[in-house]
Amino acid sequence: MRPLTAAATAALAFASSCNAANLVVQATGGNNSSPLMYGLMHEDISNSGDGGIYAELIYNRAFQGSDMYPSNLAGWIPVNGASLSLQRLATPLSWALPYSMNVAATASSGKIGFANTGYWGMDVKMQTYSGSFYVKGVYEGSFTASLQSNLTGDVFGSVDVVSQSVAGEWTQHNFTLVPSKAAPNSNNTFAITFDPTGVKDGSLDFNFISLFPPTYKNRPYGLRPDIMEAFAELNPKFLRLPGGNMLEGNTQTSWWKWNETIGPLKDRPGMANVWGYQITYGLGLVEYMEWCEDLGLEPIVAVWDGLSLDGSFTPQAELEQWVQFALDEIEFLTGDAATTKWGAVRASVGHPEPWIVKYVEIGNEDWLAGAPAAYDAYKQYRLPMFIDAITAKYPDIQVISSSSVFDNITIPEPAAGDYHSYVEPDTFVNAFGMFDQLTAGNKTLIGEYAAVHPNGGIGWNGDLMPFPWWGGAVGEAIFLLGAERNGDRIIGTTYAPSLRNMNRWQWSVTLLQFAADPALTTRSTSWYTLRLFGNHVISKTLPVTSDAEFGPLYHVAGTSSKGTGILKAAVYNSTADVPVSLRFEGSSKGATATLTVLTGPENPYGYNDPFTHVNVVKETTSTVTAGADGSFHFSLPQLSVAVLETDATVKCRKQRRVEVQA
Ligand code: AHR
């Protein structure tokens, strides 16, 4: 039995001029809730991968290009008059990295070289930077690797790297660099210089020039600590990867090919992503899985299913190869290293232990690009072919369709669905009850959602908000309460997109904003509501009887795995504070609970601006004590989001839905 709906409780309702709500959380009924209720979604949009969570500091480190974004020398500037040219040598560094940079002396004297401007700057601190570069050509002498101001030339740190280069071969040089002082801002460059008099043939070729600051959990070529920490604070439970539109790619030949994202970095060609720039594939499948490991996340791995964003899709007769490609990907992730082909490949790239994958999503938003023909093909053969093949080989994996029952599809068993929603706050509030319609047979992931424009906004080309804003965050919170009330049918929820580099972005409304300087990393208003909800995990929901209909107060209640009682609530469209009386059935006088209330600025359009550092979200925490009848009394203001969690366990019996038991 699900918690009572507004309609079911209407009989109990009595008119109240101040919207007071008397809530009683029942000790019986309810249902188990998904352990994955709040998660993360990521794809390389708005330089959120390269130049974002992937901590590489060097922009265009390996001159990767494509038909759409040809290789170039963007980000590289000559030092001391050096001549830099892009070359496609007969002996490239690797098949994946065919282009390199030739550096030749001109008339000037002294050391020459090149500098890199980074992804709109570089953060320089007194910490250890790990660097490497490949050189081809004979050079006797030392290279100097340095970090300096792009404004003043002030050098913060440098290191000499003795040349090991030899004729005709690419030689990798590794170094560490510890600046002796921190830079006052992020407008800095990284340079490599050398003495041209030691160069035999007048020039040297360089490729894969890399520099990493310390990374999260010190993973080599890993992720940015400040961004990972901001994610970790949300207590997320899953990561949906690798997108999003990026998975789909632009065309039938340009999409996220997992097998090209693994192994040595010099063997990853990168791709023209769908957001207007080339990506390196440095943040590849293994790095995504390590991200999951480091934050304890369940991976939800999306596989390419034949649809690209140009609307074209693979004909049925040719699709089998991509079904196999997806099966190979799953085998790469989960297969035994000794007995499976792709498990052995995983071991060869440093991960002998298989990962556990419980969720595989088939494509992304197949209802959108190329509809109706592409969607018809999804319904008719693409989705069924993937479901059949994956469930036959991996019966324990929950396959997920990239569309949900709300997208005009009957999803074949045993697949679940995925629902995406980018709307205005009112729409989210009105959707509070929509997941009550889900049956046990149509579990759904909410794989992307965000309030993106204000009420009455006219959509993508009109009133998109510049950042997540408080009124939007409250609308989203109510949508999430509606999802969590149905936690046995909702696999999980994730805000999207998660990240935006403030220097080049395609999507303004994201969970976190950042730039090269970690001090600019900004937690949005939505981040605060998600941190509150994500850190109070309901493992079982319980029915709530109320004398008030839903609105302006919305809520869900349940118990944590420890047995404490939890109420999550939000207030929207109220003219006054909402007095709440809350009793967990069986609780008695003197019981205590912690109440956390988030409120926003007076102006509901207020947002957390990375440039002002003003946090518009106010959090108050108080201890509330149950009165004579065991009820907690408190009031919640207009546009507030709150969680109450009891300090002691509460009674609850017979948790499972009748239909689940049957
Ligand atoms: O989150 C940004 C984009 O929105 C995703 O890539 C896509 O799935 C959706 O349309």
Side-chain angles (χ1 to χ4, degrees):
M1 191 181 127
R2 85 184 47 248
L4 293 183
T5 61
T9 55
L12 300 174
F14 62 90
S16 167
S17 58
C18 59
N19 294 318
N22 294 301
L23 311 179
V24 180
V25 182
Q26 306 294 297
T28 55
N31 44 269
N32 288 332
S33 195
S34 170
L36 305 185
M37 191 51 68
Y38 296 98
L40 301 172
M41 181 269 182
H42 186 264
E43 70 178 299
D44 202 330
I45 177 174
S46 301
N47 276 98
S48 62
D50 287 340
I53 196 165
Y54 187 59
E56 175 65 85
L57 293 174
I58 306 299
Y59 181 80
N60 195 15
R61 69 182 175 187
F63 318 101
Q64 286 155 289
S66 54
D67 290 347
M68 196 168 259
Y69 308 112
S71 291
N72 58 60
L73 291 181
W76 297 100
I77 47 180
V79 171
N80 197 19
S83 166
L84 310 184
S85 60
L86 189 70
Q87 302 286 333
R88 191 178 177 120
L89 300 178
T91 314
L93 175 57
S94 65
W95 73 271
L97 304 179
Y99 286 90
S100 50
M101 178 168 68
N102 182 266
V103 184
T106 55
S108 63
S109 62
K111 282 192 154 191
I112 63 158
F114 49 85
N116 188 273
T117 50
Y119 287 91
W120 304 280
M122 291 180 196
D123 181 49
V124 177
K125 289 197 173 68
M126 291 166 63
Q127 57 189 6
T128 302
Y129 292 79
S130 308
S132 64
F133 55 92
Y134 283 87
V135 187
K136 191 160 113 19
V138 178
Y139 171 50
E140 285 178 12
S142 288
F143 299 96
T144 301
S146 59
L147 282 162
Q148 52 277 308
S149 168
N150 198 22
L151 297 171
T152 64
D154 195 9
V155 176
F156 306 114
S158 68
V159 64
D160 284 343
V161 184
V162 177
S163 170
Q164 296 158 28
S165 65
V166 290
E169 277 179 35
W170 287 99
T171 316
Q172 190 173 26
H173 295 69
N174 297 299
F175 62 90
T176 55
L177 171 53
V178 184
S180 54
K181 56 184 173 178
N185 56 56
S186 59
N187 196 346
N188 306 306
T189 61
F190 169 74
I192 292 178
T193 56
F194 56 92
D195 183 352
T197 61
V199 176
K200 191 174 167 214
D201 297 320
S203 70
L204 294 172
D205 297 295
F206 289 83
N207 206 345
F208 199 84
I209 303 140
S210 170
L211 187 72
F212 274 75
T215 59
Y216 193 70
K217 301 215 168 168
N218 295 318
R219 295 262 191 201
Y221 302 102
L223 306 182
R224 233 176 99 157
D226 60 315
I227 294 176
M228 285 293 275
E229 280 155 17
F231 283 147
E233 288 168 44
L234 297 172
N235 193 27
K237 299 300 181 196
F238 68 87
L239 176 64
R240 178 170 173 257
L241 64 100
N245 291 153
M246 203 190 72
L247 170 77
E248 294 165 72
N250 290 303
T251 66
Q252 288 287 293
T253 53
S254 171
W255 44 274
W256 200 85
K257 299 193 181 73
W258 69 269
N259 62 333
E260 294 182 354
T261 76
I262 60 170
L265 293 167
K266 71 177 178 52
D267 294 333
R268 304 188 195 182
M271 77 176 260
N273 90 351
V274 302
W275 300 105
Y277 56 95
Q278 185 78 16
I279 56 171
T280 66
Y281 277 166
L283 179 59
L285 185 57
V286 168
E287 287 75 15
Y288 274 120
M289 297 305 285
E290 291 174 342
W291 174 349
C292 291
E293 273 180 30
D294 289 349
L295 294 189
L297 308 177
E298 195 76 57
I300 297 183
V301 181
V303 297
W304 194 70
D305 68 355
L307 176 68
S308 42
L309 277 182
D310 60 4
S312 60
F313 55 93
T314 314
Q316 186 164 4
E318 294 165 29
L319 192 60
E320 192 50 48
Q321 60 183 314
W322 302 125
V323 174
Q324 187 57 47
F325 191 69
L327 292 174
D328 291 347
E329 180 174 1
I330 300 168
E331 185 176 287
F332 172 80
L333 294 170
T334 64
D336 181 78
T339 58
T340 67
K341 173 185 164 191
W342 286 105
V345 174
R346 185 195 61 249
S348 76
V349 299
H351 280 271
E353 278 305 306
W355 285 293
I356 294 172
V357 173
K358 295 182 185 161
Y359 299 90
V360 170
E361 182 164 358
I362 298 159
N364 178 65
E365 293 185 344
D366 278 274
W367 44 270
L368 188 56
Y375 197 27
D376 287 345
Y378 189 65
K379 294 173 187 172
Q380 284 160 13
Y381 68 87
R382 292 193 295 118
L383 180 60
M385 282 173 75
F386 278 87
I387 293 176
D388 290 351
I390 294 171
T391 49
K393 186 157 181 202
Y394 300 100
D396 293 336
I397 286 182
Q398 171 68 68
V399 285
I400 301 174
S401 155
S402 78
S403 53
S404 74
V405 289
F406 305 105
D407 301 310
N408 182 28
I409 186 173
T410 304
I411 298 171
E413 287 188 7
D418 182 2
Y419 178 68
H420 293 183
S421 187
Y422 294 105
V423 293
E424 57 190 46
D426 272 359
T427 308
F428 275 137
V429 174
N430 292 334
F432 174 73
M434 77 180 279
F435 302 113
D436 295 353
Q437 304 163 41
L438 292 176
T439 64
N442 47 38
K443 286 196 170 183
T444 299
L445 173 73
I446 301 175
E448 297 182 23
Y449 76 86
V452 289
H453 49 82
N455 293 327
I458 54 171
W460 298 113
N461 299 319
D463 299 332
L464 270 187
M465 289 294 284
F467 296 101
W469 73 107
W470 181 243
V474 178
E476 291 161 1
I478 290 166
F479 176 70
L480 293 172
L481 295 175
E484 199 157 357
R485 276 163 39 87
N486 296 283
D488 57 341
R489 275 119 206 233
I490 296 294
I491 294 171
T493 66
T494 174
Y495 189 99
S498 52
L499 293 170
R500 164 187 175 191
N501 188 315
M502 291 303 299
N503 291 288
R504 181 170 68 186
W505 49 271
Q506 297 79 42
W507 198 292
S508 60
V509 186
T510 59
L511 195 57
L512 297 169
Q513 334 289 327
F514 67 90
D517 180 356
L520 288 177
T521 297
T522 301
R523 289 151 172 79
S524 68
T525 49
S526 298
W527 183 91
Y528 282 91
T529 57
L530 287 174
R531 183 181 62 168
L532 183 61
F533 283 178
N535 282 283
H536 295 273
V537 179
I538 291 179
S539 60
K540 292 170 177 172
T541 59
L542 290 170
V544 180
T545 57
S546 172
D547 57 2
E549 294 189 37
F550 287 118
L553 178 73
Y554 300 84
H555 50 80
V556 61
T559 49
S560 70
S561 58
K562 297 173 299 192
T564 54
I566 297 174
L567 176 85
K568 299 183 179 178
V571 174
Y572 188 86
N573 269 350
S574 177
T575 51
D577 289 3
V578 178
V580 180
S581 159
L582 168 71
R583 186 163 64 84
F584 288 88
E585 207 180 45
S587 69
S588 50
K589 180 183 176 188
T592 57
T594 303
L595 173 68
T596 308
V597 182
L598 303 181
T599 50
E602 209 171 308
N603 174 3
Y605 294 101
Y607 52 77
N608 288 347
D609 183 332
F611 299 110
T612 62
H613 298 290
V614 175
N615 176 16
V616 300
V617 183
K618 190 173 160 212
E619 177 175 309
T620 54
T621 301
S622 57
T623 299
V624 286
T625 305
D629 67 344
S631 297
F632 299 104
H633 297 278
F634 52 93
S635 67
L636 297 177
Q638 153 68 344
L639 289 184
S640 62
V641 177
V643 170
L644 177 143
E645 181 159 358
T646 61
D647 294 333
T649 58
V650 296
K651 278 192 185 168
C652 90
R653 309 184 296 268
K654 208 174 157 199
Q655 291 299 323
R656 299 177 73 80
R657 283 181 200 258
V658 173
E659 63 267 41
V660 173
Q661 282 176 324

